Amino acid sequence: MAELHGESPLAARTETLADSSVPGALQLSEVAFTAQVALRVDPKSPAAERIGTAVGTMLPNQPGQVARTEQLQILWMGPDEWLLVGPEGSAERIQATLTEALGEEHGSVVDVSGNRTIVEVTGPKSRELLAKGCALDLHRRSFASDQCAQTLLARAGVVLLCRDTERPSFWIFVRASFARYLADWLADAAAEYRV
Amino acid sequence: MMLIPCPWCGPRNETEFHYGGQADVSYPAEPQQLSDADWARFLFYRANPKGIFTERWNHQAGCRRWFTIRRDTTTNEIFQDDSHEAVTR
Amino acid sequence: MTGEYRLAEGGRINRDRPVRFRFDGHDYEGFDGDTLASALLSNGVHQVGTSIRYGRPRGIASAGPEEPNALVQIEEPFPEPMLTATTVELRDGLVASSLPGQGRLATEPDPARYDAINAHCDVLIVGAGPTGLAAALSAARSGARVIIADADTEFGGSLLGSGEALDHAPAGRWIDRVTAELRDTPDVTVLPHTTVFGRYDDNYLVAVEHRGEDAFTRQRTWHIRAREVVLATGSHERPLVFPGNDRPGTMLATSARTYVHRYGVLPGRRAVVFTTNDSAYAAAIDLHDAGVEIAAVVDVRPVATTLWTARCVERGIQILTSCAVTGTSGTDRVSGAQISPVPSADSAPTVPSELDCDLLLVSGGWNPAVHLHSQARGTVRYSEEIGALVPDSTPRGVRSVGAAAGSFTTGECLRTGSEAGRDAAREAGFGADTAEVPGAPSGPVTPPQPTWLLPGVPAESGDEQFVDLARDATVADVRKAVGAGMSSVEHIKRFTTIGTAHDQGKTSGLLSSGVIAELLGVEVAQVGATTFRPPYAPVAFAALAGRDRGDLYDPVRVTAMHDWHLTQDCPFENVGQWKRPWYYPQPGEDMDSAVLRECHAVRTGVGMQDVSTLGKIDVQGPDAAEFLDLVYTNKMSTLKVGRIRYGLMCHADGMVFDDGTVMRTGEHRYLISTTSGGAAGVLEWLEDWLQTEWPHLQVHLTSVTEHWATIALAGPRSREVLARVTSDIDLDNDAFPFMSWTDGTVAGKAARVCRISFSGELAFEINVPWWHGREVWEALYQAGSDQDITPYGTETMHVLRAEKGFPIVGQDTDGTVTPHDLGMSWAVSKKKDDFLGMRSFSRADTVRSDRKHLVGLLPPADSAVVPEGTQLVELAELPEPPVPMLGHITSSYRSAALDRPFALALVKSGRDRIGQTIYGHVGDRLVPVEITEPVFYDKEGNRRDG
């Protein structure tokens, strides 16, 4: 649906990411144009409960927790803050659902789809690659499937999402303006695996 | 590299945080009623103890929450308050 | 072509792989597995350069990182200064030269790659000698995540150089078996050739791994967060102070033993061994058995240990007890040692006054390597028993063990190491037990006799008794410091420079404490030692930089339209981390002419600028209006939905720190903009007030900076151009007035369009989601092509806004400027009870009449642009200093519209001086400038509606 969305932040780095991939070790690619909606609401409020019902899962209440529905991933971003990630083109629908469930109660729903793009990193070398720039403990026992963390990767702020522990797979949410820097950094850090 | 306990995200490297200085320096209720000296005291005067210091941090690269910890300025040992409410508000 | 000092067999070198190298212009051969030092010694080369202060010949004194002398400059494969020959791995084609202290940096960029990695573990073991290996085995078997690192190229530590047997078999077998098990254990990371050089807060340890000259990454910096740390860092042998103790051929006794066992090299043919403790006897025996003639073992102690005496007698080695070496002979190499009885001894044996030798081995005892322990804020104490500093208090999560804790027998090291590994793993939450350790031979030990200044040696010889070989600092220097009244070891260190060289006093540190103690007549414990700071061993800056260099040095932030800018070959200006087009030169244009052209286009036609970098924050909640009233100086609650207002933010001290526009997008919703560089800081600042001072306010903030790509379309023709790409927005001035916004479609994309102007001209700001940015930009560019639509950069934007007197926060302000100073009192509400900064506007300092005001300046019309930063003075001729300064120029340009240079400046009482002429100090000239209102162009504001 490129005509719907024009140019993704890493369109100019598609080849860089592809070239940095090493079969059997590492796969890098952009996941572009996901719908991303920022939600702020008091987790103890009736509105939060209504939102849970409306989206089909309770908002995760543990730091770093991710809830999933068929369509959505809901990332814990703060004690009253979540990032809802859905398929391309669903931002309007997600906002409408949230706004309706929120009703008159205090909260905020903001379309931030353009704010960040996503780099997907999969393969056995993923953790080592990320460890070159991320100080979090990414060990399978410490950072497992459906966990997320806001942290630094190299010199960029990112949201890191573990998609799969056993066959390591991560999503790196990065600000659009930082995306090329991060892609270049990842390519540099992955260069040794191609040798 | 201190490991600072974010009350929400858990211990993280100090590079993820931004320092907020002395805690409990409240914005005066009625600034316009204060003398110049008292207002200056609020603006410019901060403690700088050798030893335990109650100070604020912002988890800038993480959940963006402000919180308070007590830190020994001679050893960097951190003593964390208990409840989320106590540290974030 | 084996070196003549190479033994026929033995050592851990690979004799099938000879290596050719060049040193100080001579070609030599060594073996794979050699260090540069061992290879030089195998060729009979002892001297490596001369000393830094006195130019005295100096030789290889050790076999490890404690080396004070043998500094070399690597020439090939790549220039690298100040490495110690004892730690440089030999490789084919190596070219090196000796170095008297200072090196030469490469003039070309290093082609090698360096990087970094983060690691976490339950137990970090520093050192892989007998202690560290035993500890690692216990910890690893518990399932804990273990990292074991050792600075040496291979594991084994002291066992590599001692030829010891474990369980009656060569120690190498045990080392290999343990290392293999560790490598095969999941979650165990084995890091040879990795120096842990610093311990920082909360068990954050940093190490540099030497991965090899041919590795993809030459060096890797490890940032390790460890729950528990076992310091099995071993100990350093200490030299002795006596006249002529610096002559080449003088070497630490155990290092000589290492050269024999590990490298198969004889460091000499005939040796005198001078010692204060038992360890040198093992060296004497081993060297004898390898073929070195031992002229004598000279022991300051009155009685030698029976076991060692027996072994010496077996071999016909004479032992001279209660004796000391009190002088040496030789020029470039020691040729003899003078032996004297220690005067206090009751009966000195008859001895020859001089013994011929080409090797003088010394051992003054052993210093536990307490560096990391000390960096962990562990205290040390002086142990009379071993005559060295040992760990005293135990810092949380850090335990020293083995020789690092003062245990010097292999058996003790193995046992305590194994226990330390178990204890560390248990502390980290694992059910660990001690791993079995092999048996090591042991025997009774006679206590060492710590010796600092030799009794009976005349004070005059003090300038030949070297305490710090690397710094050429002598007993005479210490005597001078003490004579000058210094008693603190820290002062004396700085006065004499002892311990400040590349080796950071590994051999000289405690030695100087001992000498100081004797000169002051106090106990060594009273003198103490200087602070141990990271790094433990020198680290290359390249390793610390890692991949944070070149294009990756700092993030480069780009907008959605960046690639379009690239097609125009425009230079970029760095604004924070952003790259913003500076100006768009046409062929043959320089910056000045490009900017004049761009300015002219915006004033007379239409221009477009990428302004996506402005920070954007969505503000939502029932108390949003109240909140914004508190953080902006002007009133935002009265703003109507659909309208926009400019706002200033001040810190509580009343000083401007950011500015931008506030759009009311709903009853309870605003979108505010910040400066490009200030976005993150403003958000954090706002969150601070919301979370900590006004938690009762129901407001949420969300950064949407990159969600939007923003295009400024400015100039009298902008409406015309925009009209061509939008059909659903009524662009008429009445329907869409200045400082309002509307949603609509631009170039087929959903857009939010604002009537904001930063140039004074009719202007629009078009916001579209990031991924449409370039498309809409190109559509506008296309739509304006017949109007010569002109893309303009930050320089033109600066000129245009300066012509209108609009300040740039951070350029025309510097954190000491209030809105009133800027002449923007109109943006400060008088109707609000409070807002941040309000109270400060009535402080004595902010109501001073001589504050600096932002004013305009006009230099002579035909003069050049007066540089920004120029200081302003009162008179046409400079008075005697100090010259009173009136202020400085903050912005200065040439105006296309005015056809002359102009400037903005902060000038004392500036607004009261309008019309006066003051002077700018440019180079050695004083340029007259007339003070004016800061608005130079369209003072009435007639142009904004087109």
Side-chain angles (χ1 to χ4, degrees):
Chain A
M1 293 221 286
E3 65 280 3
L4 181 64
H5 278 120
E7 199 170 75
S8 72
L10 285 176
R13 291 294 187 277
T14 309
E15 270 181 45
T16 307
L17 294 176
D19 290 350
S20 299
S21 300
V22 182
L26 199 60
Q27 196 71 35
L28 295 169
S29 59
E30 183 185 18
V31 181
F33 307 130
T34 54
Q36 296 179 34
V37 177
L39 168 69
R40 301 284 300 268
V41 67
D42 180 350
K44 299 189 200 82
S45 66
E49 206 156 305
R50 287 198 300 273
I51 288 170
T53 310
V55 299
T57 177
M58 293 314 289
L59 296 170
N61 59 6
Q62 292 301 309
Q65 201 180 17
V66 179
R68 279 187 202 239
T69 69
E70 207 171 304
Q71 291 277 302
L72 287 177
Q73 295 174 84
I74 306 175
L75 284 64
W76 184 98
M77 302 286 277
D80 61 355
E81 183 175 354
W82 295 266
L83 183 68
L84 287 79
V85 183
E88 183 173 350
S90 64
E92 294 293 332
R93 202 171 62 240
I94 297 169
Q95 287 182 86
T97 306
L98 295 177
T99 309
E100 193 194 327
L102 204 53
E104 289 302 300
E105 278 188 65
H106 171 48
S108 85
V109 175
V110 184
D111 183 4
V112 290
S113 304
N115 230 22
R116 296 188 184 97
T117 191
I118 299 168
V119 182
E120 183 173 76
V121 181
T122 60
K125 287 288 182 191
S126 313
R127 284 194 188 94
E128 186 180 295
L129 177 75
L130 295 176
K132 290 178 181 180
C134 177
L136 285 191
D137 187 357
L138 301 172
H139 192 270
R140 60 191 183 282
R141 290 201 292 267
S142 307
F143 193 65
S145 293
D146 290 336
Q147 273 186 277
C148 69
Q150 296 164 87
T151 186
L152 294 169
L153 179 57
R155 294 177 184 274
V158 296
V159 185
L160 209 55
L161 167 63
C162 182
R163 304 255 299 163
D164 193 329
T165 316
E166 293 313 315
R167 296 186 310 145
S169 177
F170 298 88
W171 273 10
I172 308 166
F173 293 71
V174 60
R175 291 271 192 159
S177 65
F178 283 96
R180 289 188 185 186
Y181 158 76
L182 193 72
D184 292 343
W185 186 92
L186 285 167
D188 193 66
E192 70 171 298
Y193 306 123
R194 276 180 296 168
V195 178
Chain B
M1 177 71 75
M2 284 193 287
L3 200 57
I4 298 177
C6 170
W8 302 102
C9 304
R12 296 285 184 94
N13 279 359
E14 89 185 68
T15 43
E16 293 196 3
F17 297 84
H18 186 224
Y19 188 56
Q22 184 181 353
D24 303 322
V25 181
S26 296
Y27 188 73
E30 291 190 70
Q32 316 311 326
Q33 306 307 315
L34 293 188
S35 68
D36 271 10
D38 285 344
W39 179 245
R41 191 157 294 282
F42 161 71
L43 285 180
F44 303 124
Y45 286 63
R46 297 294 182 270
N48 184 23
K50 179 180 181 181
I52 306 284
F53 189 41
T54 308
E55 62 191 16
R56 303 171 339 121
W57 290 84
N58 178 247
H59 192 190
Q60 201 174 38
C63 64
R64 301 190 295 113
R65 264 53 188 183
W66 283 90
F67 59 94
T68 300
I69 54 172
R70 284 174 300 124
R71 180 176 62 96
D72 187 324
T73 58
T74 59
T75 63
N76 280 343
E77 194 179 349
I78 290 169
F79 312 89
Q80 200 186 350
D81 286 318
D82 301 325
S83 69
H84 285 165
E85 282 66 27
V87 292
T88 50
R89 287 295 149 100
Chain C
M1 262 254 327
T2 311
E4 56 176 320
Y5 286 84
R6 184 79 70 180
L7 291 164
E9 54 187 26
R12 297 177 71 87
I13 46 169
N14 184 352
R15 291 173 190 261
D16 298 332
R17 289 192 53 197
V19 172
R20 282 168 196 81
F21 68 103
R22 182 168 254 263
F23 183 75
D24 276 347
H26 299 285
D27 292 315
Y28 299 103
E29 206 175 273
F31 289 114
D32 183 45
D34 262 327
T35 62
L36 177 57
S38 67
L40 285 171
L41 290 173
S42 79
N43 288 283
V45 178
H46 266 256
Q47 185 185 343
V48 179
T50 50
S51 70
I52 186 165
R53 246 166 101 191
Y54 302 121
R56 290 168 70 103
R58 288 285 160 79
I60 295 160
S62 76
E66 70 271 35
E67 175 63 37
N69 279 344
L71 282 178
V72 295
Q73 166 84 38
I74 305 298
E75 308 285 358
E76 302 280 344
F78 187 79
E80 200 171 356
M82 297 220 24
L83 300 183
T84 45
T86 52
T87 59
V88 172
E89 272 182 278
L90 201 65
R91 62 180 309 216
D92 224 24
L94 181 81
V95 178
S97 54
S98 57
L99 199 64
Q102 276 177 351
R104 182 176 54 76
L105 291 169
T107 49
E108 71 267 36
D110 188 347
R113 293 178 72 103
Y114 301 81
D115 71 1
I117 197 162
N118 295 284
H120 297 257
C121 63
D122 298 304
V123 182
L124 168 68
I125 292 147
V126 186
T131 312
L133 287 172
L137 213 50
S138 295
R141 287 178 181 173
S142 76
R145 290 160 72 187
V146 174
I147 296 176
I148 177 167
D150 192 286
D152 214 330
T153 48
E154 50 181 331
F155 281 3
S158 61
L159 296 172
L160 297 173
S162 67
E164 275 174 271
L166 294 177
D167 277 349
H168 310 291
R173 286 192 205 163
W174 181 76
I175 298 169
D176 293 346
R177 200 171 63 236
V178 173
T179 307
E181 180 180 334
L182 291 173
R183 283 190 194 281
D184 289 345
T185 309
D187 285 331
V188 174
T189 305
V190 171
L191 295 175
H193 216 174
T194 303
T195 306
V196 179
F197 64 78
R199 189 276 184 191
Y200 303 87
D201 285 321
D202 298 312
N203 267 354
Y204 189 79
L205 292 100
V206 186
V208 64
E209 178 190 13
H210 298 263
R211 294 166 70 84
E213 297 301 326
D214 303 319
F216 186 81
T217 296
R218 183 172 184 247
Q219 293 180 16
R220 171 167 290 173
T221 304
W222 286 75
H223 299 256
I224 304 167
R225 185 70 78 175
R227 295 159 79 98
E228 293 291 318
V229 177
V230 176
L231 296 176
T233 46
S235 56
H236 297 130
E237 195 165 25
R238 199 165 61 221
L240 283 159
V241 171
F242 53 89
N245 63 341
D246 66 329
R247 238 176 266 289
T250 307
M251 185 182 282
L252 292 167
T254 302
S255 294
R257 199 177 173 208
T258 297
Y259 284 116
V260 169
H261 288 296
R262 185 162 174 192
Y263 302 105
V265 169
L266 290 185
R269 300 281 187 215
R270 182 177 153 90
V272 168
V273 180
F274 178 26
T275 188
T276 64
N277 66 88
D278 280 4
S279 69
Y281 284 83
I285 300 295
D286 287 2
L287 263 69
H288 171 275
D289 293 355
V292 178
E293 187 188 341
I294 306 297
V297 175
V298 181
D299 194 332
V300 296
R301 297 173 298 180
V303 183
T305 308
T306 319
L307 173 76
W308 291 114
T309 307
R311 288 183 184 168
C312 286
V313 168
E314 270 171 35
R315 290 164 174 81
I317 298 171
Q318 66 165 329
I319 301 172
L320 307 173
T321 51
S322 292
C323 281
V325 173
T326 52
T328 61
S329 324
T331 48
D332 294 348
R333 174 86 181 260
V334 65
S335 61
Q338 284 106 50
I339 318 292
S340 307
V342 177
S344 60
D346 296 335
S347 55
T350 314
V351 293
S353 60
E354 172 137 351
L355 288 173
D356 289 346
C357 63
D358 64 354
L359 184 64
L360 174 54
L361 302 186
V362 294
S363 180
W366 291 83
N367 293 338
V370 295
H371 302 67
L372 294 172
H373 164 83
S374 184
Q375 289 171 24
R377 296 194 184 90
T379 55
V380 292
R381 70 176 169 84
Y382 179 74
S383 158
E384 293 287 348
E385 195 185 336
I386 66 165
L389 299 171
V390 293
D392 193 7
S393 71
T394 305
R396 215 161 30 125
V398 178
R399 64 196 76 217
S400 292
V401 66
S407 307
F408 294 130
T409 67
T410 303
E412 181 80 351
C413 287
L414 289 165
R415 186 179 60 74
T416 55
S418 173
E419 289 167 2
R422 172 199 64 193
D423 295 346
R426 284 183 181 171
E427 195 68 34
F430 292 83
D433 219 329
T434 49
E436 77 288 344
V437 294
S442 64
V445 178
T446 306
Q449 181 174 316
T451 305
W452 314 110
L453 285 175
L454 291 174
V457 172
E460 308 86 79
S461 69
D463 57 4
E464 289 221 314
Q465 299 183 52
F466 288 86
V467 179
D468 188 338
L469 293 162
R471 282 291 187 217
D472 250 2
T474 63
V475 170
D477 294 323
V478 180
R479 203 181 287 277
K480 211 181 294 173
V482 170
M486 290 177 222
S487 56
S488 156
V489 66
E490 296 286 0
H491 291 156
I492 295 170
K493 167 183 175 171
R494 281 150 186 85
F495 182 80
T496 59
T497 71
I498 289 172
T500 60
H502 65 279
D503 61 343
Q504 289 286 289
K506 289 188 183 67
T507 53
S508 61
L510 186 64
L511 204 49
S512 71
S513 298
V515 171
I516 292 165
E518 291 209 4
L519 293 178
L520 288 172
V522 300
E523 297 298 319
V524 181
Q526 277 174 264
V527 175
T530 55
T531 311
F532 296 89
R533 292 194 182 85
Y536 166 75
V539 183
F541 278 115
L544 296 176
R547 71 176 85 257
D548 295 339
R549 62 179 189 178
D551 290 342
L552 298 177
Y553 173 69
D554 198 42
V556 169
R557 298 179 73 182
V558 297
T559 70
M561 289 79 98
H562 189 72
D563 286 346
W564 191 90
H565 305 322
L566 289 177
T567 66
Q568 305 297 305
D569 281 331
C570 61
F572 289 89
E573 186 180 18
N574 293 326
V575 180
Q577 291 169 319
W578 291 99
K579 291 281 178 204
R580 300 195 67 183
W582 197 7
Y583 55 95
Y584 296 83
Q586 291 191 343
E589 264 186 342
D590 63 5
M591 175 170 169
D592 288 346
S593 43
V595 171
L596 286 173
R597 174 181 50 75
E598 291 173 13
C599 286
H600 183 74
V602 176
R603 292 276 182 238
T604 61
V606 58
M608 60 193 295
Q609 189 192 10
D610 178 357
V611 294
S612 309
T613 59
L614 292 175
K616 302 166 203 77
I617 301 168
D618 181 281
V619 182
Q620 277 192 60
D623 299 322
E626 185 183 344
F627 175 63
L628 294 183
D629 275 351
L630 284 165
V631 297
Y632 281 101
T633 58
N634 41 358
K635 213 162 162 90
M636 297 302 175
S637 52
T638 53
L639 189 65
K640 292 191 169 53
V641 176
R643 302 305 299 251
I644 303 171
R645 190 166 286 165
Y646 172 80
L648 280 173
M649 280 186 189
C650 290
H651 283 139
D653 64 4
M655 304 302 154
V656 172
F657 91 103
D658 209 85
D659 70 342
T661 54
V662 176
M663 299 166 58
R664 191 158 199 170
T665 55
E667 180 57 28
H668 297 314
R669 191 168 183 180
Y670 294 79
L671 183 65
I672 67 171
S673 73
T674 74
T675 57
S676 298
V682 169
L683 182 62
E684 187 189 290
W685 158 258
L686 296 177
E687 284 285 1
D688 188 359
W689 290 99
L690 266 186
Q691 292 177 29
T692 68
E693 284 293 347
W694 307 317
H696 60 281
L697 292 183
Q698 295 198 315
V699 181
H700 288 309
L701 308 174
T702 307
S703 167
V704 290
T705 299
E706 279 106 322
H707 182 69
W708 301 103
T710 310
I711 303 160
L713 193 66
R717 304 269 182 187
S718 56
R719 185 178 282 132
E720 207 176 319
V721 171
L722 184 57
R724 293 175 182 178
V725 289
T726 182
S727 53
D728 58 353
I729 303 176
D730 184 350
L731 297 176
D732 183 78
N733 197 50
D734 296 329
F736 191 12
F738 185 59
M739 294 308 256
S740 64
W741 65 270
T742 185
D743 282 340
T745 311
V746 174
K749 309 297 173 196
R752 174 163 290 172
V753 182
C754 310
R755 281 258 341 250
I756 300 173
S757 176
F758 200 40
S759 58
E761 300 298 329
L762 172 68
F764 299 87
E765 264 185 26
I766 297 132
N767 294 277
V768 293
W770 172 285
W771 46 65
H772 293 318
R774 180 164 177 186
E775 211 176 326
V776 173
W777 172 275
E778 288 187 23
L780 284 164
Y781 186 63
Q782 199 60 42
S785 61
D786 63 337
Q787 302 277 3
D788 278 336
I789 191 168
T790 302
Y792 63 96
T794 51
E795 190 66 17
T796 291
M797 179 266 283
H798 275 228
V799 178
L800 297 173
R801 64 85 203 176
E803 288 174 347
K804 291 291 293 175
F806 298 148
I808 299 262
V809 172
Q811 173 162 344
D812 301 298
T813 72
D814 59 3
T816 67
V817 179
T818 70
H820 304 293
D821 297 339
L822 290 174
M824 297 177 79
S825 303
W826 56 267
V828 180
S829 170
K830 293 177 186 64
K831 295 178 185 154
K832 295 195 282 188
D833 291 338
D834 192 27
F835 57 84
L836 294 177
M838 182 179 178
R839 173 63 185 84
S840 290
F841 296 146
S842 57
R843 290 182 61 233
D845 182 58
T846 44
V847 298
R848 276 188 296 120
S849 60
D850 63 343
R851 286 188 67 81
K852 288 177 184 171
H853 300 152
L854 187 74
V855 291
L857 291 183
L858 285 177
D862 56 352
S863 73
V865 170
V866 185
E868 287 170 359
T870 294
Q871 290 291 326
L872 299 167
V873 298
E874 184 82 57
L875 299 169
E877 273 182 43
L878 288 184
E880 282 301 303
V883 181
M885 297 291 162
L886 296 179
H888 69 280
I889 291 179
T890 56
S891 296
S892 190
Y893 314 98
R894 170 166 290 281
S895 165
L898 309 173
D899 192 26
R900 63 176 302 160
F902 74 107
L904 295 175
L906 287 167
V907 177
K908 268 185 190 168
S909 313
R911 283 196 295 275
D912 305 326
R913 309 179 65 140
I914 285 172
Q916 293 180 11
T917 295
I918 57 174
Y919 297 85
H921 191 230
V922 182
D924 53 2
R925 291 182 310 123
L926 286 171
V927 179
V929 288
E930 185 195 335
I931 302 178
T932 68
E933 296 279 352
V935 185
F936 295 91
Y937 186 76
D938 183 29
K939 291 194 168 87
E940 304 74 27
N942 292 331
R943 303 187 60 85
R944 67 176 199 210
D945 292 331

